[in-house]
Amino acid sequence: SQQGEEDPQALSIQEGENATMNCSYKTSINNLQWYRQNSGRGLVHLILIRSNEREKHSGRLRVTLDTSKKSSSLLITASRAADTASYFCATELGGTSYGKLTFGQGTILTVHP
Amino acid sequence: EADIYQTPRYLVIGTGKKITLECSQTMGHDKMYWYQQDPGMELHLIHYSYGVNSTEKGDLSSESTVSRIRTEHFPLTLESARPSHTSQYLCASSKQGAVTQYFGPGTRLLVL
């Protein structure tokens, strides 16, 4: 079974609206990251939140982490057409998995101008 | 923009051919990774390396092999390509002590 699962699988919004994506995981983690992938390209790191943090901000991005529910959310405020991409959460597991990431299925975000 | 490069970007090849996908980074990162990603799906780790002469298999079983003779170079080889190998292959690297990974643009492989 997958470590990270994301919902929704796809999200379609208008420019200026907020977009929220959720990620759930199964085992304890050291940290959780969010990455963005434009169509057919490599991934770009957006933000990292450690297991002892609850919320983090970076520009228009806000990430929350609830370790009791094993879930995280990524909020993009005032979305733009250029935010259209796939968004993946990635977890670094606790224990001996140092440096190895497990990725979720991703959320495809489409922002209409 | 990350300084990590992959060649070729696209490759169409016949069954049975030997192929090598190249990955190079100029950031001096010790850790490097290969992922396989089918369209619209999650990434699966197939190989990783924590430094020169260190290679490990990832979570997804793969018929490919890797080598790490130089810090900056982490090529992936398929001895005999099959249609089931058709996928996108992404290379990534990270610094020692860090968990953020920097990705290359990927190689799209189509095996006929």
Side-chain angles (χ1 to χ4, degrees), chain A residues 28-81:
Chain A
S28 65
I29 60 172
N30 292 331
N31 55 71
L32 184 146
Q33 303 176 58
W34 286 89
Y35 286 80
R36 164 195 169 126
Q37 183 180 35
N38 286 80
S39 180
R41 303 299 301 270
L43 279 70
V44 175
H45 176 258
L46 294 176
I47 194 165
L48 177 150
I49 186 164
R50 301 194 184 281
S51 59
N52 61 354
E53 298 175 309
R54 292 296 167 257
E55 187 170 312
K56 224 169 165 181
H57 297 255
S58 176
R60 294 185 295 115
L61 305 179
R62 175 180 155 235
V63 171
T64 61
L65 179 64
D66 187 334
T67 52
S68 66
K69 294 181 180 177
K70 292 186 168 60
S71 68
S72 173
S73 68
L74 171 68
L75 168 68
I76 303 174
T77 60
S79 64
R80 305 166 182 166

Side-chain angles (χ1 to χ4, degrees), chain B residues 46-99:
Chain B
I46 52 174
H47 298 283
Y48 62 99
S49 167
Y50 285 162
V52 171
N53 295 326
S54 148
T55 61
E56 302 286 346
K57 290 192 178 296
D59 304 320
L60 180 69
S61 176
S62 173
E63 293 165 348
S64 58
T65 59
V66 292
S67 62
R68 191 87 184 277
I69 299 170
R70 302 198 318 262
T71 298
E72 62 271 22
H73 197 213
F74 191 41
L76 180 145
T77 299
L78 274 166
E79 289 293 332
S80 180
R82 295 208 302 268
S84 61
H85 296 138
T86 293
S87 190
Q88 175 162 252
Y89 293 84
L90 293 164
C91 180
S93 70
S94 64
K95 287 192 295 190
Q96 199 64 255
V99 295

